[in-house]
Amino acid sequence: MNAHSGEAAQHREPAEQHRDTGLRARLVQAGVELVGREGVQALSLREIARRAGVSHGAPRRYFPTHLSLLSAIARQGFADLAARVTEVLGAGRPDPRAGLMALARLYLDFARTNRGMYELMFRHDLLESNQLGLRETSLPLFTVLVDLVRQVEPRTEVPPPVVAGALWANLHGIAQLWEWGSLQLATGADDVEPLLRATLDAHLGPEGR
């Protein structure tokens, strides 16, 4: 290879890397939009590629498996949820219990309005494979929950991470059962707010005591 050829190759590499990064982002964004509109079942490699405007084999160049592409899409969901949490908790709520209530409302609202993405984020096969460190992606959000629980100082000897874990599991169950209509049927409730208050009381003790 002569000097001119070497220089040309060096000039091409950044452009190719930029193109690859852009196409990778397009595939992920196409998946985010697709899961939001049509749900998890629509996320085939072929359909994501079609929405991104590339050949059906192109995703394999950037994502070696279907799970890796789905994990990249799910990571965007966690990033969106984290941004919303930061916005809500940064709105001047000095009371940690009020912060927990705001976080609980946000979590249920996210599950309701982003049903496809919510299901994808917690899919067992994605979390088990841990492609792109997906399990660790949820940890900063859990840390926020633990810190708020610690600030509330619930009257229990149970460590704050365990209380936070139980609270998270409870909220996740409410999100699922409310979406299915099971809680409305069982309780006769048409408003999830009393269930959220009861959940916080159960894990943290009644407010003001």
Side-chain angles (χ1 to χ4, degrees):
M1 180 183 292
N2 60 36
H4 291 295
S5 298
E7 289 176 5
Q10 289 178 357
H11 284 300
R12 280 200 304 270
E13 286 180 3
E16 289 175 358
Q17 290 173 357
H18 179 73
R19 183 184 64 201
D20 287 350
T21 300
L23 183 50
R24 188 182 190 280
R26 274 170 54 196
L27 288 165
V28 173
Q29 185 57 36
V32 169
E33 293 173 2
L34 183 59
V35 75
R37 292 172 182 166
E38 300 184 26
V40 175
Q41 70 281 354
L43 290 175
S44 68
L45 282 174
R46 184 178 292 271
E47 184 59 19
I48 293 171
R50 190 183 74 80
R51 298 294 180 100
V54 299
S55 69
H56 64 81
R60 294 291 187 185
R61 179 177 178 182
Y62 309 97
F63 301 97
T65 66
H66 192 196
L67 283 180
S68 63
L69 176 52
L70 294 182
S71 296
I73 296 167
R75 281 175 64 92
Q76 289 298 111
F78 279 112
D80 183 18
L81 180 57
R84 297 184 192 201
V85 168
T86 299
E87 182 179 358
V88 166
L89 296 183
R93 287 189 174 85
D95 178 13
R97 187 160 186 137
L100 280 170
M101 192 64 183
L103 187 58
R105 291 190 188 107
L106 172 62
Y107 190 83
L108 264 64
D109 182 68
F110 183 89
R112 180 181 60 82
T113 58
N114 300 272
R115 194 65 203 170
M117 179 62 82
Y118 181 78
E119 291 180 3
L120 182 68
M121 288 161 60
F122 295 103
R123 256 181 57 166
H124 173 72
D125 57 341
L126 295 191
L127 293 171
E128 185 177 45
S129 70
N130 201 30
Q131 298 277 331
L132 307 180
L134 186 60
R135 282 181 295 191
E136 288 73 19
T137 305
S138 66
L139 291 181
L141 289 171
F142 184 65
T143 299
V144 171
L145 185 60
V146 173
D147 288 345
L148 287 170
V149 168
R150 186 176 285 114
Q151 291 175 51
V152 171
E153 299 180 346
R155 295 180 180 180
T156 176
E157 295 182 359
V158 179
V162 176
V163 175
L167 179 56
W168 181 17
N170 206 158
L171 290 173
H172 196 79
I174 291 173
Q176 292 283 38
L177 293 172
W178 193 264
E179 174 65 19
W180 296 335
S182 302
L183 280 175
Q184 298 92 315
L185 182 64
T187 65
D190 57 4
D191 182 4
V192 75
E193 190 80 4
L195 287 168
L196 293 183
R197 295 190 181 282
T199 298
L200 262 62
D201 286 349
H203 292 290
L204 305 174
E207 189 171 9
R209 294 188 185 179

